[in-house]
Amino acid sequence: MMDLTEHELSSDTLYDGGLFKVKRDVVRLPNDNTSHRIYVTHPGAVVIVPILANGHIVLERQYRYALREAFIELPAGKIDANEAPLHTGQRELLEETGYTGTDWVKLGLQHPCIGYSNEVIHTYLARGLTAGAHQRDPDETLEVFELSFSACMDMIKNGEITDGKTIIALFLAEKYLLDHGN
Amino acid sequence: MMDLTEHELSSDTLYDGGLFKVKRDVVRLPNDNTSHRIYVTHPGAVVIVPILANGHIVLERQYRYALREAFIELPAGKIDANEAPLHTGQRELLEETGYTGTDWVKLGLQHPCIGYSNEVIHTYLARGLTAGAHQRDPDETLEVFELSFSACMDMIKNGEITDGKTIIALFLAEKYLLDHGN
């Protein structure tokens, strides 16, 4: 394998907005030419596939302003400073849906946007779910509902679910359940 | 279904970098409170699943500076101004790998980063492939190789492929090929 590494020569922060920063780095390319890379830094996130005892998946419908559209997606959220990803998953599932789970399985990592963001999304399966009261902020408006696994797959195939993290998490869950039984 | 729409009250461009802009909009929430949304605008992109006559997939290994890591990914690229997505796919496949394809199938859309980007990625299957000379820029360093479909699936399951657009495109291709035969 070739060494494809681009080496940092200098780094500037163009924008620092709390949620994310925009950086512009000058880099030395493998062919020794100089170029620059503009990218977003992000604290990382967690997405959860919550599977109920009846096999249904807990989903959300949420407005995403960047795309001016409501999306069907799995519960997810950003990792707080010094927070373990599993704890982020348990916290976000409770806050957004009210569910707590007794059985958590790590399904892997996904990188949503390797061209211009360093975000990594930790992906978990959550089972042994008990319903409770959600802890959503008054400004956080979302709908929670459940759907069979096969209906989720149909909605991916027919384009009703297009959110990347949700498609990947359901795909990893499908493979995990096939390999390990339900 | 609830009306979850957030209405734009004002919009500022915080950063305009050619590749993408960073915007900060003030919005009216469904509960009539005011908040703000920071997000990136992006021209959109195309990812291609190139399937050779032997069933193997054409892949790339490319360094992604934002994550300081080389990734295994499918051929992909940004949509030029006023370019049709299918043309972007045909152009990028040729430029990056040298392949041209006679049979293109639209597999759908994916939204990689709905929390803070308006990027949409158009996803295509390409078959009837003929090898030729790539047209990579001297500064564009990447390795092109081929792998069986089942080896791709194994690399997703064991975490060797974590690039979001690549996982989703292979997943959509798997479902398409199952539904429509090879």
Side-chain angles (χ1 to χ4, degrees), chain B residues 47-61:
Chain B
V47 62
I48 308 110
V49 185
I51 307 189
L52 296 163
N54 64 5
H56 286 198
I57 307 296
V58 180
L59 291 164
E60 302 177 356
R61 200 172 142 267

Side-chain angles (χ1 to χ4, degrees), chain B residues 54-152:
Chain B
N54 64 5
H56 286 198
I57 307 296
V58 180
L59 291 164
E60 302 177 356
R61 200 172 142 267
Q62 192 172 359
Y63 192 78
R64 294 303 196 162
Y65 183 80
L67 286 141
R68 306 291 199 280
E69 191 183 330
F71 283 84
I72 294 170
E73 52 187 296
L74 290 164
K78 276 185 293 294
I79 299 173
D80 284 342
N82 302 313
E83 189 178 38
L86 175 59
H87 183 251
T88 307
Q90 294 170 334
R91 178 177 57 71
E92 290 285 352
L93 182 63
L94 176 64
E95 286 178 7
E96 294 188 348
T97 72
Y99 281 101
T100 49
T102 56
D103 174 22
W104 289 74
V105 178
K106 188 170 183 172
L107 294 176
L109 299 179
Q110 41 176 305
H111 292 99
C113 214
I114 62 177
Y116 59 93
S117 170
N118 74 346
E119 182 178 1
V120 55
I121 304 179
H122 302 257
T123 308
Y124 287 93
L125 194 67
R127 292 180 290 195
L129 299 175
T130 304
H134 71 76
Q135 303 173 7
R136 295 198 288 274
D137 185 274
D139 282 353
E140 194 176 14
T141 310
L142 56 85
E143 287 181 327
V144 177
F145 63 102
E146 56 177 270
L147 206 62
S148 72
F149 205 95
S150 66
C152 292

Side-chain angles (χ1 to χ4, degrees), chain A residues 1-11 14-15 17 19-20 22 24-27 29-31 33-35 37-40 42 61-73 107 109-121 138-143 153 156-157 161-165 167-168 170-172 174-176 179, chain B residues 1-11 14-15 17 19-20 22 24-27 29-31 33-35 37-40 42 61-73 107 109-121 138-143 153 156-157 161-165 167-168 170-172 174-176 179:
Chain A
M1 292 197 295
M2 292 167 63
D3 181 5
L4 305 171
T5 311
E6 299 172 353
H7 293 275
E8 177 184 322
L9 299 175
S10 66
S11 180
L14 301 175
Y15 171 74
L19 175 65
F20 58 73
V22 180
R24 182 185 189 279
D25 291 10
V26 178
V27 300
L29 301 175
N31 67 1
N33 282 356
T34 299
S35 187
R37 299 285 177 242
I38 296 172
Y39 59 101
V40 167
H42 186 282
R61 201 172 142 266
Q62 193 172 0
Y63 192 79
R64 295 303 197 163
Y65 182 80
L67 285 142
R68 306 291 199 281
E69 192 182 330
F71 283 84
I72 294 169
E73 51 186 297
L107 294 175
L109 300 178
Q110 41 176 304
H111 292 100
C113 213
I114 62 176
Y116 59 93
S117 170
N118 74 347
E119 182 178 1
V120 55
I121 304 179
D139 283 354
E140 194 176 14
T141 310
L142 55 86
E143 286 181 328
M153 290 292 146
I156 293 171
K157 288 198 259 181
I161 293 178
T162 62
D163 171 42
K165 67 179 180 302
I167 297 175
I168 293 168
L170 288 169
F171 172 60
L172 293 176
E174 180 188 52
K175 300 299 180 198
Y176 178 85
D179 288 352
Chain B
M1 292 198 296
M2 293 166 63
D3 182 5
L4 305 170
T5 310
E6 300 172 351
H7 294 275
E8 176 184 323
L9 299 175
S10 66
S11 180
L14 301 176
Y15 171 75
L19 175 64
F20 59 73
V22 179
R24 182 186 189 281
D25 290 12
V26 178
V27 300
L29 301 176
N31 67 0
N33 283 354
T34 299
S35 188
R37 299 285 178 241
I38 296 173
Y39 59 101
V40 166
H42 186 282
R61 200 172 142 267
Q62 192 172 359
Y63 192 78
R64 294 303 196 162
Y65 183 80
L67 286 141
R68 306 291 199 280
E69 191 183 330
F71 283 84
I72 294 170
E73 52 187 296
L107 294 176
L109 299 179
Q110 41 176 305
H111 292 99
C113 214
I114 62 177
Y116 59 93
S117 170
N118 74 346
E119 182 178 1
V120 55
I121 304 179
D139 282 353
E140 194 176 14
T141 310
L142 56 85
E143 287 181 327
M153 289 293 146
I156 293 171
K157 287 198 260 181
I161 293 177
T162 62
D163 172 42
K165 67 179 181 300
I167 296 175
I168 294 168
L170 288 169
F171 172 61
L172 294 177
E174 180 188 51
K175 300 298 180 198
Y176 178 86
D179 288 352

